[in-house]
């Protein structure tokens, strides 16, 4: 989790990032990311700091669970969807 938390402030288009432990199992990590666009999210994956974190963290990952993309329509800190 420390690797995930290191450079979160430097990713462009970031609206929010949450890193959390799984309930009842601290070895399960949940990551919720909010970006202003899918393109900026993909672009952030090319940043040296992000690539370095991925390289350091990948060997620690046993498996990936579900991946879900959503389209925010509003909420605290967000402008209403057009």
């Amino acid at each position: 989790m420390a690797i995930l938390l290191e450079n979160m402030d430097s990713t462009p288009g970031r609206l929010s990032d949450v890193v959390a432990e799984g309930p009842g199992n601290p070895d399960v990590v949940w990551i919720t990311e909010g970006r202003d666009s899918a393109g900026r999210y993909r672009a952030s994956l090319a940043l040296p700091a992000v690539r370095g974190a991925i390289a350091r963290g990948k060997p620690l990952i046993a498996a990936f669970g579900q991946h879900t993309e959503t389209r925010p329509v509003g909420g605290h800190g967000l402008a209403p969807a057009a």
Side-chain angles (χ1 to χ4, degrees):
M1 283 194 242
I3 293 170
L4 294 169
L5 294 168
E6 282 177 2
N7 297 300
M8 285 192 164
D9 289 341
S10 65
T11 57
R14 179 179 68 92
L15 300 174
S16 68
D17 287 305
V18 177
V19 177
E21 291 180 349
N25 186 349
D27 290 335
V28 174
V29 178
W30 287 83
I31 305 164
T32 305
E33 301 175 281
R35 298 290 181 275
D36 61 2
S37 74
R40 292 204 12 150
Y41 168 73
R42 286 188 298 276
S44 75
L45 296 175
L47 294 172
V50 173
R51 293 179 58 85
I54 291 169
R56 290 175 33 231
K58 205 169 192 177
L60 302 172
I61 300 169
F64 287 93
Q66 69 187 43
H67 172 94
T68 303
E69 286 191 33
T70 62
R71 187 183 67 81
V73 296
H76 180 74
L78 298 176

